[in-house]
Amino acid sequence: MTTTRVQPLVLVVEDYPDAREMYAAYLQFSGFDVAEATNGLEAVEKAEALMPDIILMDLALPRMDGWEATRRLKSNDQTRHIPVVALTGHALAGHAEGARQAGCDAFVTKPCLPDALVAEIRRLLESPPGGDDTGRGARRSMKRT
Amino acid sequence: MPRVAVPAVPVPGFEAEAKLALVEFLLTSIDLQDSARRALDWLVAHSPVTQAVVLIVEAVSNEMLLVAEHGVPNSAVVDFAVSRADAMHPLVEALSSRHPVFIEGLSSRYRVPLDARSFHAIPLRAEDDDVGRGLLLVTGTGPELEGDALWLARTLGKQVSRLASRQSLAETRFGQERMLLYSIINAVTDPILLTDTEGKLIIANSHAEKLFAAPEEASEGWRRAVGLNNMLFSAALSTSAVGTAELARRELLLVDPLEGSDLLFELLSSRAKDERQGTYVVSILRNVTDLARAKEEIEESYRTLRIAQAEVRDERHRLDLIIDSVADPILVTDEEGDIVLMNTPAERLFNAPGVENEAALRRVQGNGANLTSFVSNVLTRSGEQRYRGEIQLADPVSGRPLPVEALAGTILSEQGELMWVVTILHDLTEAIEKARLYEQLKEASQELEKNVQEATAELAEQNELLRRQHIALEQASALKSQFLANMSHEFRTPLNAILGYTHMLLNNVTGQVTDPQRKSLTRIDSNSRHLLALINDILDITRIEAGRMPLNITKFGVPDLVDEVMSELEPIIRRSNIAVESQMGTRLPPVRSDRQKVKQILLNLLSNALKFTPSGSVTMSAAYDARGNQMVLAVRDTGVGIAEEDQARVFEDFRQLDSSPARGYGGTGLGLSICRRLAHMLGGSIELDSRLGQGSTFTLRIPVKVKRR
């Protein structure tokens, strides 16, 4: 891995392989470099090792969950600046707030179409972290009755 | 009786005998004159005395009078008297002497009942007399005094003294008797008079004196009245038949000298004949003035009595009315238990007037016997004023048992003897019936109470059961919600992959797809999206029902929100041929509510309107209801409309009115159900106004300020 790269590096943390590989494929298709982790512990290790430009973090993870992993990354001066986009299938109340408290910079509810996810990642990379929770927009677009 | 003085001097037999005879005479004589004469006879016979005189002091006139003489000329003794006041008189002097005095050559100034001027004057006195009671004057014996004369003087002195004391005694007794008599006469309240036949007053008692004698100080009127009375009295006596009858009776009207009022007397006169003093008339006046008055009074009281009797009769009548008017039987019985008085209700029980039937008469007798036995009980308890008991009677006519309460009181005479027993009977039939009913009622009430208690216990049991079931249900519900939440998550993970890969294929990520492939992929995509929408809606409902959808209250403006909703559905609006416009009311206040949920409702209502309106228009309006302090948001369309009978069902779960699959219009059939739930969460409501074929209006009302629960 080179420290200078043309394409931003996205660390996709997801234990469900189909979803992880789908996001990875679409991100690569969309012009990103992608690294993958299958649990929270691995996510922390890879983030510290690879220093990705952004992390896509599923919250329900084995060994170490996404919240804990995010807390660790955000408490590490080296990794604190890396934006974390939380990704969860749980739309129940408390998840978004828990993610925000853990230090997540954005929150995206599954299912999230790959292009919506890419749009969110691009938005975060272009604007400094701590901005508005635009993840809602992504979820909103999915709700049609 | 004075002691008989035994002669001290021995005398010859004859003389001694004569002396004894004289003493005996004197002892038996009570007459002074006789005594004096006899004594002088003896002296002259037995002594040389030539002349002798006995003088005795008369107490009233205080003079010495001559009571007996011998040998003196009449001229000397006629009217002889010497006053004791003439203290210088030798005879008066001699009277005071204790010894015989020889008076010699008495001055002719003094008159003596003797011829001679010289004589012996011997005081006649008893030994204890201070002064002589008389004198014995004797002459013919010279200066020497005969012993016989001395003895005689002594004997005569004792006799004079004895008689004097005896006389005074008699006088005293007479006086006392007179006084007594006078007192008796005075004590008689009727005036009593002793008059001569002409009515001249001799003796009168004090009551008569008041009428017929006026004292010195009497007034003129008094005197005149007394004069008049005397005149009337005299006239009455003279005209009456006093002369012929022993006792005459007539009325006499006199005047009360002090009061001036008329006094009516009954005059009783009778003659009293006295041999020496002639005829007197004794009159008794009986005052009948008071008698006349008394007669009037008696008449008056008789009249009063008759009025009182009439009043008593009235009173009795009233009392009878009162007693008869009392519904309870009242009886008065005497000490024998016999009925002396009863009112009409009592008569029906104990007399049964007009009832001939034998059974009834037997019942009347039975009632009487029961009453008698009750009254005899009362009598044995004479100490008590009131006696209460129960008697079993029977109605004479019907024979119906008649239990009565009897209250008896005794009436005593002034001497405390029992006179009557008053008994009041009170019908207990009703009371007993009431008591019976009360008992029944009480039993029923107890039964009811028991039932209620049982029911309450059962209810409590059921409540407990329900409470447990409720807890179990809540737990089940929570588990269900949790299960559904988990399930939707688990659904979403594969769905996420399906949607993602379909999307990638459609975006030619894995190479160009052919048109038929694209068509199939589009079908996969739309069905996956529908499935996702269903999952999301179920999740929403689950969250609402599990109370896990919190309210996020902010203050926001309604027009901005409406613009936002319309712009979000802009692509759909653009695709349709429908005119969509908004009508915002004036002066819309900002709303404090959950903006996201209001927006979700409006999005749903607007998309529904677009969906079910093939052509025409959709209008979103907002207005403020000041009265209810509500914001009224309405979505009106000109679409297919909803039949009235179906309007209530559109808010039910999985309900789309066109039973042909919802696919025709899309949607899950849960949208309105969620909207209604959300509206309730915000304290509001959703109403529907629609007609088939003429469009629908959904109206959301929410409070301007939501209340936090």
Side-chain angles (χ1 to χ4, degrees):
Chain A
M1 284 292 164
T2 58
T3 53
T4 55
R5 49 185 177 250
V6 182
Q7 295 186 336
L9 175 63
V10 181
L11 176 60
V12 177
V13 186
E14 167 70 81
D15 64 323
Y16 188 63
D18 286 7
R20 188 175 66 242
E21 284 164 18
M22 177 188 75
Y23 287 132
Y26 195 76
L27 282 167
Q28 282 164 354
F29 171 75
S30 300
F32 292 93
D33 283 340
V34 176
E36 294 177 28
T38 59
N39 61 61
L41 206 58
E42 193 186 348
V44 173
E45 283 166 6
K46 287 214 171 154
E48 286 169 353
L50 301 174
M51 294 302 287
D53 295 288
I54 191 163
I55 300 170
L56 186 63
M57 179 78 78
D58 188 20
L59 289 174
L61 292 169
R63 296 190 68 182
M64 180 187 286
D65 65 28
W67 294 284
E68 180 57 28
T70 305
R71 257 191 297 281
R72 290 206 180 176
L73 291 169
K74 287 295 176 184
S75 58
N76 185 338
D77 285 343
Q78 282 190 308
T79 55
R80 180 176 296 149
H81 68 279
I82 303 171
V84 175
V85 178
L87 183 68
T88 180
H90 280 277
L92 290 178
H95 278 222
E97 192 59 29
R100 202 176 293 281
Q101 277 174 5
C104 294
D105 300 284
F107 184 84
V108 176
T109 307
K110 286 194 280 187
C112 179
L113 288 179
D115 60 345
L117 189 67
V118 168
E120 184 69 16
I121 286 169
R122 285 213 172 106
R123 188 184 66 81
L124 273 172
L125 287 173
E126 281 163 15
S127 62
D132 195 27
D133 177 18
T134 49
R136 279 189 319 187
R139 187 182 59 179
R140 188 198 310 145
S141 65
M142 300 304 289
K143 291 191 66 166
R144 298 278 167 82
T145 53
Chain B
M1 208 46 152
R3 268 198 309 174
V4 175
V6 176
V9 183
V11 290
F14 170 73
E15 279 167 27
E17 212 168 293
K19 227 178 197 176
L20 201 61
L22 175 64
V23 169
E24 275 176 5
F25 177 82
L26 290 180
L27 275 175
T28 56
S29 172
I30 56 163
D31 193 305
L32 189 59
Q33 208 160 17
D34 284 355
S35 297
R37 282 182 188 150
R38 189 68 176 269
L40 285 189
D41 289 348
W42 181 83
L43 186 63
V44 173
H46 293 90
S47 72
V49 169
T50 53
Q51 289 185 344
V53 168
V54 175
L55 300 173
I56 295 296
V57 176
E58 206 277 313
V60 179
S61 59
N62 207 20
E63 286 174 336
M64 275 191 286
L65 304 175
L66 189 146
V67 295
E69 80 286 327
H70 180 83
V72 291
N74 265 352
S75 59
V77 297
V78 165
D79 292 336
F80 181 81
V82 177
S83 173
R84 283 187 71 188
D86 192 358
M88 295 306 289
H89 199 298
L91 291 182
V92 175
E93 279 182 349
L95 198 64
S96 316
S97 170
R98 296 199 70 90
H99 305 288
V101 178
F102 181 67
I103 296 168
E104 220 172 359
L106 181 67
S107 163
S108 58
R109 282 196 292 135
Y110 301 107
R111 186 180 174 207
V112 289
L114 295 167
D115 288 340
R117 303 307 291 181
S118 296
F119 54 89
H120 290 279
I122 312 161
L124 298 173
R125 60 196 296 173
E127 278 177 26
D128 48 358
D129 283 338
D130 291 337
V131 182
R133 292 182 180 275
L135 288 171
L136 172 64
L137 306 179
V138 292
T139 58
T141 60
E144 291 304 313
L145 189 61
E146 272 298 314
D148 288 337
L150 274 176
W151 174 83
L152 186 76
R154 214 161 47 235
T155 303
L156 198 59
K158 282 174 189 167
Q159 179 74 348
V160 170
S161 181
R162 184 175 73 87
L163 292 177
S165 68
R166 188 186 165 86
Q167 191 180 7
S168 70
L169 204 67
E171 275 174 0
T172 306
R173 189 173 299 144
F174 177 72
Q176 279 174 345
E177 281 169 4
R178 232 172 70 134
M179 286 301 286
L180 189 63
L181 204 61
Y182 198 69
S183 298
I184 289 167
I185 294 173
N186 273 342
V188 175
T189 51
D190 292 336
I192 296 174
L193 306 106
L194 183 67
T195 57
D196 60 18
T197 48
E198 263 119 50
K200 192 165 173 240
L201 196 64
I202 299 167
I203 295 174
N205 71 352
S206 58
H207 298 284
E209 271 177 6
K210 278 179 198 159
L211 291 168
F212 298 106
E216 297 276 326
E217 70 274 12
S219 67
E220 187 58 30
W222 191 341
R223 283 176 197 284
R224 205 171 291 163
V226 167
L228 184 65
N229 282 348
N230 279 310
M231 214 165 72
L232 289 166
F233 181 70
S234 301
L237 277 188
S238 60
T239 58
S240 74
V242 167
T244 54
E246 277 298 303
L247 191 67
R249 188 189 293 261
R250 56 174 298 155
E251 283 199 345
L252 174 63
L253 188 67
L254 297 179
V255 181
D256 186 331
L258 289 173
E259 306 277 330
S261 58
D262 285 350
L263 296 171
L264 185 63
F265 289 95
E266 188 183 49
L267 172 61
L268 287 159
S269 308
S270 64
R271 286 179 176 231
K273 279 188 182 157
D274 190 279
E275 292 296 334
R276 286 181 297 179
Q277 301 186 27
T279 305
Y280 300 100
V281 177
V282 177
S283 299
I284 297 173
L285 292 166
R286 186 168 297 152
N287 191 339
V288 294
T289 316
D290 292 342
L291 217 57
R293 205 175 292 143
K295 191 179 151 197
E296 276 171 23
E297 278 173 9
I298 284 168
E299 278 170 358
E300 177 63 27
S301 16
Y302 179 66
R303 218 169 24 249
T304 315
L305 194 67
R306 282 181 51 171
I307 292 169
Q309 269 178 346
E311 277 174 1
V312 165
R313 251 198 322 275
D314 286 353
E315 190 68 39
R316 170 68 196 259
H317 185 61
R318 272 200 297 276
L319 208 59
D320 281 352
L321 283 178
I322 289 166
I323 288 175
D324 272 344
S325 73
V326 175
D328 285 340
I330 298 175
L331 302 107
V332 180
T333 43
D334 60 17
E335 69 271 30
E336 304 288 327
D338 293 330
I339 297 171
V340 295
L341 184 74
M342 58 181 161
N343 64 354
T344 314
E347 235 170 301
R348 276 200 288 274
L349 289 174
F350 297 99
N351 204 6
V355 176
E356 298 293 320
N357 150 5
E358 205 169 301
L361 293 177
R362 213 168 41 240
R363 286 182 203 119
V364 165
Q365 281 176 358
N367 287 349
N370 283 334
L371 177 75
T372 308
S373 115
F374 171 76
V375 170
S376 68
N377 268 339
V378 175
L379 293 177
T380 55
R381 302 181 179 225
S382 53
E384 295 171 24
Q385 274 287 304
R386 295 267 181 281
Y387 181 71
R388 189 187 293 270
E390 280 188 23
I391 311 179
Q392 284 297 328
L393 300 178
D395 185 272
V397 179
S398 68
R400 179 176 60 91
L402 200 66
V404 295
E405 182 191 50
L407 185 66
T410 51
I411 295 178
L412 305 179
S413 70
E414 280 178 14
Q415 287 76 37
E417 291 165 349
L418 186 124
M419 292 174 75
W420 295 301
V421 177
V422 179
T423 308
I424 300 177
L425 304 175
H426 182 64
D427 188 353
L428 285 178
T429 314
E430 204 176 323
I432 288 170
E433 180 63 14
K434 271 184 186 165
R436 197 179 63 78
L437 286 175
Y438 175 71
E439 204 55 44
Q440 277 184 0
L441 200 66
K442 214 163 76 174
E443 271 173 32
S445 159
Q446 280 167 353
E447 181 73 17
L448 195 68
E449 201 176 324
K450 206 179 105 201
N451 288 347
V452 167
Q453 275 174 355
E454 280 171 8
T456 307
E458 206 173 305
L459 211 62
E461 210 173 295
Q462 284 177 356
N463 271 347
E464 179 58 23
L465 207 61
L466 280 173
R467 198 178 66 81
R468 284 181 190 169
Q469 284 175 351
H470 179 67
I471 291 169
L473 275 173
E474 272 186 343
Q475 286 172 346
S477 175
L479 282 173
K480 184 197 79 177
S481 296
Q482 188 61 48
F483 173 77
L484 285 171
N486 288 339
M487 196 183 70
S488 72
H489 173 68
E490 298 304 326
F491 281 167
R492 239 182 274 215
T493 305
L495 200 53
N496 190 36
I498 293 168
L499 280 166
Y501 281 108
T502 306
H503 181 75
M504 285 207 296
L505 286 172
L506 283 172
N507 283 335
N508 302 321
V509 173
T510 51
Q512 194 70 36
V513 293
T514 63
D515 276 351
Q517 285 171 333
R518 177 169 297 274
K519 200 175 175 185
S520 297
L521 284 171
T522 305
R523 287 279 168 85
I524 293 169
D525 184 60
S526 73
N527 276 282
S528 300
R529 282 172 193 270
H530 184 68
L531 184 59
L532 179 63
L534 276 171
I535 291 168
N536 281 336
D537 282 353
I538 288 169
L539 188 63
D540 272 351
I541 290 172
T542 307
R543 284 158 73 193
I544 292 167
E545 291 192 345
R548 290 163 90 172
M549 183 177 277
L551 287 176
N552 183 22
I553 309 288
T554 53
K555 189 173 177 179
F556 58 91
V558 169
D560 286 350
L561 182 68
V562 171
D563 285 350
E564 203 175 309
V565 168
M566 288 178 71
S567 64
E568 242 173 73
L569 292 179
E570 183 60 30
I572 301 171
I573 294 167
R574 225 184 301 127
R575 278 204 300 272
S576 68
N577 293 321
I578 301 160
V580 179
E581 58 173 19
S582 70
Q583 293 177 351
M584 294 297 107
T586 52
R587 290 196 295 271
L588 291 177
V591 172
R592 280 186 64 83
S593 193
D594 188 321
R595 192 179 193 274
Q596 177 56 35
K597 292 183 175 59
V598 177
K599 185 177 164 187
Q600 192 176 337
I601 294 166
L602 291 179
L603 273 171
N604 197 292
L605 294 178
L606 183 56
S607 65
N608 274 351
L610 293 169
K611 228 183 285 177
F612 292 103
T613 306
S615 62
S617 64
V618 172
T619 309
M620 284 191 83
S621 65
Y624 173 59
D625 171 16
R627 201 177 48 169
N629 199 25
Q630 285 178 329
M631 190 58 70
V632 182
L633 296 152
V635 179
R636 190 170 67 243
D637 65 51
T638 58
V640 295
I642 302 165
E644 201 172 330
E645 62 267 28
D646 296 325
Q647 289 181 4
R649 289 160 52 211
V650 299
F651 296 101
E652 292 175 10
D653 295 343
F654 298 110
R655 186 66 65 178
Q656 264 187 346
L657 295 176
D658 189 351
S659 61
S660 73
R663 323 291 176 274
Y665 291 106
T668 60
L670 288 171
L672 282 173
S673 170
I674 292 170
C675 284
R676 172 160 278 191
R677 283 181 168 90
L678 289 174
H680 284 167
M681 275 184 78
L682 300 173
S685 62
I686 295 179
E687 291 153 20
L688 167 61
D689 182 21
S690 178
R691 250 184 254 173
L692 199 58
Q694 295 187 15
S696 308
T697 303
F698 284 86
T699 307
L700 168 68
R701 292 173 174 273
I702 54 165
V704 167
K705 278 185 179 176
V706 72
K707 282 175 188 157
R708 284 188 176 277
R709 269 176 275 180

